[in-house]
Amino acid sequence: MGTVSRRPRSGVARRIPDPLPPETPKETVLRWLREGEIQLLGLVPWGSNATFLVAVVHEGITGLAIYKPQRGEEPLWDFPHGTLCYREVAAYVVSEALGWGLVPPTVLRRSGPYGRGALQLYIEADPEENYFTFRDDPALQPTLMRLAVFDLLTNNADRKAGHCLKDRNGRIWAIDHGICFHAEPKLRTVIWDYRGQEIPEDIVEEVRAFERRLKTDADLRGELARLLRPEEIAALEERTAALLERPVFPHPGPWRSVPWPMI
């Protein structure tokens, strides 16, 4: 998703409010995103797709979010046009189903200033930090390993270092998931540090619980069915089963395995 690590430097039309306090309950954040009035603040001047910093106002709560309208998506040869905003939301759904909380709260808005699009909580993060600056921190290894597994499961085709944010409390967030969930292998990431290592057992058990949910949780399956194509959900199930059968961090494949630019 297009959450960014700093605010836009141009095109701001309104006063920029403060981000939501980090202690705001998740259900409050989701209701605020789903029901709030969206006010455009400015176009984020980087990225290939239209991305806007917006204020969201609902029931006396005003804060920042990132809005990616469907109509601002650049056509891609290998992803169906107009589906990137759905994939952003699907990434949040999978992150929550895994219990990992890696992706900021994200919803699909049927209408907005530029029509249908994904709306994601803005993360106030240090612009000098990215995956390359904090990947060697021992305290972050459990989270970063889960992020590597998350990208494998979601078939992330664009995990740049700058898509990994560290917020002001030191929490790691993953953003920009518009080109995930392809039915064909597409994994492109800068996170190859764990290649060849066994995936820790606690992470494997969390993935196993996710696999059970994929099979039995009608609400989860229904939500994914509204966001992804049947063959993409089937591929997600296959990748999950393959990881459980061989719980080892993969090596780069024969295709282009690192995104460009890397940050």
Side-chain angles (χ1 to χ4, degrees), residues 1 47-49 68 76 79 84 88 151 154-164 174-181 186-191 256-263:
M1 178 63 184
S48 56
N49 300 298
K68 281 194 169 183
L76 299 171
F79 282 81
L84 304 193
E88 297 275 12
D151 286 343
T154 61
N155 197 19
N156 192 348
D158 193 36
R159 174 60 71 206
K160 295 180 173 70
H163 295 171
C164 306
I175 62 166
D176 281 320
H177 298 104
I179 51 175
C180 291
F181 297 106
K186 296 281 184 180
L187 182 62
R188 287 193 294 271
T189 176
V190 298
I191 309 178
R256 182 166 67 89
S257 299
V258 177
W260 188 262
M262 296 175 70
I263 296 179

Side-chain angles (χ1 to χ4, degrees), residues 48-50 68-75 80-86 117:
S48 56
N49 300 298
K68 281 194 169 183
Q70 185 182 48
R71 64 191 284 189
E73 296 175 6
E74 289 291 330
H81 185 53
T83 67
L84 304 193
C85 59
Y86 292 92

Side-chain angles (χ1 to χ4, degrees), residues 11-247:
V12 175
R14 301 171 182 260
R15 185 186 69 81
I16 298 179
D18 292 330
L20 287 191
E23 64 273 12
T24 306
K26 182 171 59 180
E27 287 307 315
T28 299
V29 174
L30 289 170
R31 185 170 62 253
W32 171 79
L33 288 170
R34 291 185 184 118
E35 301 175 9
E37 176 193 356
I38 301 172
Q39 301 174 352
L40 288 177
L41 297 175
L43 180 68
V44 177
W46 45 85
S48 56
N49 300 298
T51 301
F52 296 89
L53 180 70
V54 300
V56 177
V57 182
H58 182 60
E59 294 182 346
I61 300 174
T62 302
L64 294 173
I66 293 293
Y67 168 55
K68 281 194 169 183
Q70 185 182 48
R71 64 191 284 189
E73 296 175 6
E74 289 291 330
L76 299 171
W77 70 269
D78 53 348
F79 282 81
H81 185 53
T83 67
L84 304 193
C85 59
Y86 292 92
R87 297 169 195 277
E88 297 275 12
V89 181
Y92 172 70
V93 170
V94 170
S95 170
E96 292 299 294
L98 283 160
W100 291 350
L102 292 169
V103 180
T106 311
V107 304
L108 184 71
R109 291 290 297 259
R110 301 291 175 179
S111 61
Y114 292 110
R116 181 182 312 230
L119 189 66
Q120 185 175 85
L121 177 68
Y122 174 85
I123 299 299
E124 183 77 13
D126 186 339
E128 302 303 319
E129 293 270 26
N130 61 63
Y131 177 74
F132 292 140
T133 68
F134 52 65
R135 65 180 177 181
D136 294 326
D137 185 341
L140 295 179
Q141 295 313 300
T143 298
L144 298 180
M145 285 184 174
R146 285 173 171 82
L147 180 53
V149 171
F150 176 76
D151 286 343
L152 178 60
L153 294 177
T154 61
N155 197 19
N156 192 348
D158 193 36
R159 174 60 71 206
K160 295 180 173 70
H163 295 171
C164 306
L165 307 181
K166 181 191 283 189
D167 71 15
R168 301 302 182 181
N169 295 320
R171 179 173 175 175
I172 302 303
W173 296 93
I175 62 166
D176 281 320
H177 298 104
I179 51 175
C180 291
F181 297 106
H182 202 287
E184 300 174 3
K186 296 281 184 180
L187 182 62
R188 287 193 294 271
T189 176
V190 298
I191 309 178
W192 293 109
D193 306 67
Y194 308 113
R195 60 191 181 276
Q197 298 180 31
E198 292 187 2
I199 298 174
E201 184 59 31
D202 57 339
I203 298 178
V204 173
E205 287 306 310
E206 290 161 356
V207 174
R208 199 179 310 280
F210 171 69
E211 183 186 45
R212 288 194 295 268
R213 288 200 64 189
L214 275 178
K215 292 178 178 178
T216 64
D217 189 330
D219 289 339
L220 174 60
R221 293 193 65 86
E223 197 164 9
L224 290 175
R226 288 188 288 272
L227 300 167
L228 302 173
R229 298 184 172 194
E231 63 270 24
E232 293 168 342
I233 297 173
L236 170 62
E237 293 172 326
E238 291 167 5
R239 290 190 297 269
T240 303
L243 183 147
L244 292 171
E245 183 175 343
R246 188 173 185 271

